[in-house]
């Protein structure tokens, strides 16, 4: 499933709160933001048995995003995902992904991403390069991060900033080469969630 980790990064981050809410004026928006962990989703897709596709997610994620609107290149990202929280829609499938030859969750309970460089594409998109660690191996990884407009959360009535991060992981790079005819090697990741005003 570290396999999944690579493709997972290719997975597109998608927010679960795509509601129509009033957009806040940029001038009135908070300058600094942090990650709203409970509203963060890490999804992935992986080719299965050649022509099929398995979609899943990791249900336990933690981490931080520190974003400054006035200095976006200073943004820092630190994600920690519990590999044992993988959920691909069934006990048998989850057990298969957790096995030693794939995610090896017993020996490697987490996978992490720590940003090192932010390269702005425009005022709402950036390529973030960092170190991705899976199965005890650390390799450079670049994800595309996209920000939406600042909105008002319909429940909390506070400013929120939705984000999406996408990337692709090649599990073979991390030494996960088992079951080549069953599980694809390129794994797209999609991370979505909200940023909230930093106190």
């Amino acid at each position: 499933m570290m396999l999944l980790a690579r493709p997972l990064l290719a997975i597109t981050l998608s927010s679960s709160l795509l509601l129509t809410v009033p957009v806040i004026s940029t001038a009135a928006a908070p300058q600094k933001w942090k990650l709203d962990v409970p509203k963060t989703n890490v999804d992935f897709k992986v080719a299965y048995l050649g022509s099929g596709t398995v979609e899943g997610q990791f249900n336990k994620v933690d981490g931080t995003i520190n974003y400054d609107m006035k200095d976006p290149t200073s943004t820092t990202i630190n994600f920690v995902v519990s590999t044992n929280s993988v959920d691909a829609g069934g006990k048998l499938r989850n057990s298969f992904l957790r096995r030693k030859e794939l995610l090896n969750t017993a020996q490697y309970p987490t996978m992490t991403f720590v940003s090192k460089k932010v390269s702005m594409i425009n005022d709402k998109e950036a390529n973030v390069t960092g170190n991705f660690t899976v199965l005890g191996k650390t390799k450079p990884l670049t994800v595309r991060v996209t920000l939406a407009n600042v909105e008002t959360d319909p429940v909390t009535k506070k400013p929120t900033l939705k984000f999406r991060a996408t990337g692709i992981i090649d599990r073979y790079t991390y030494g996960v080469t088992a079951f080549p005819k069953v599980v694809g090697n390129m794994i797209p990741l999609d991370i979505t969630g909200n940023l909230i005003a930093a106190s």
Side-chain angles (χ1 to χ4, degrees), residues 2 11 58 64 66 99 103-104 131 163 170 178 186 188:
M2 263 333 355
I11 294 177
F58 289 93
T64 59
N66 294 307
R99 64 190 299 160
L103 284 176
N104 194 1
N131 291 331
F163 75 89
D170 182 351
M186 303 304 291

Side-chain angles (χ1 to χ4, degrees), residues 13-32:
L13 300 181
S14 54
S15 177
S16 60
L17 299 178
L18 298 179
L19 303 176
T20 301
V21 293
V23 176
I24 294 175
S25 166
T26 302
Q31 176 183 340
K32 296 185 178 181

Side-chain angles (χ1 to χ4, degrees), residues 12-13 121-128 143-149 161-166 191-193 195:
T12 306
L13 300 181
I121 299 170
N122 53 53
D123 60 349
K124 292 191 178 294
E125 291 183 290
N127 286 322
V128 180
V143 297
R144 174 71 62 87
V145 177
T146 303
L147 298 175
N149 290 323
L161 185 58
K162 293 181 176 65
F163 75 89
R164 181 183 185 184
T166 59
I191 301 169
T192 56
L195 298 180

Side-chain angles (χ1 to χ4, degrees), residues 8 11-17 35-44 56-61 79 81 163-165 189-194:
L8 277 185
I11 294 177
T12 306
L13 300 181
S14 54
S15 177
S16 60
L17 299 178
L35 182 66
D36 188 353
V37 175
K39 294 181 180 178
T40 300
N41 303 305
V42 177
D43 304 314
F44 65 86
Q57 63 185 23
F58 289 93
N59 293 323
K60 187 176 181 180
V61 56
F79 265 104
V81 177
F163 75 89
R164 181 183 185 184
L189 291 179
D190 188 347
I191 301 169
T192 56
N194 290 351

Side-chain angles (χ1 to χ4, degrees), residues 1 83-84 86 97-100 103-109:
M1 226 25 269
T83 57
N84 196 52
V86 65
L97 294 176
R98 291 170 182 150
R99 64 190 299 160
K100 182 178 181 179
L103 284 176
N104 194 1
T105 61
Q107 185 173 352
Y108 301 101

Side-chain angles (χ1 to χ4, degrees), residues 88-105:
K91 291 183 178 180
L92 290 178
R93 187 174 290 170
N94 293 344
S95 295
F96 175 74
L97 294 176
R98 291 170 182 150
R99 64 190 299 160
K100 182 178 181 179
E101 297 87 345
L102 296 177
L103 284 176
N104 194 1
T105 61

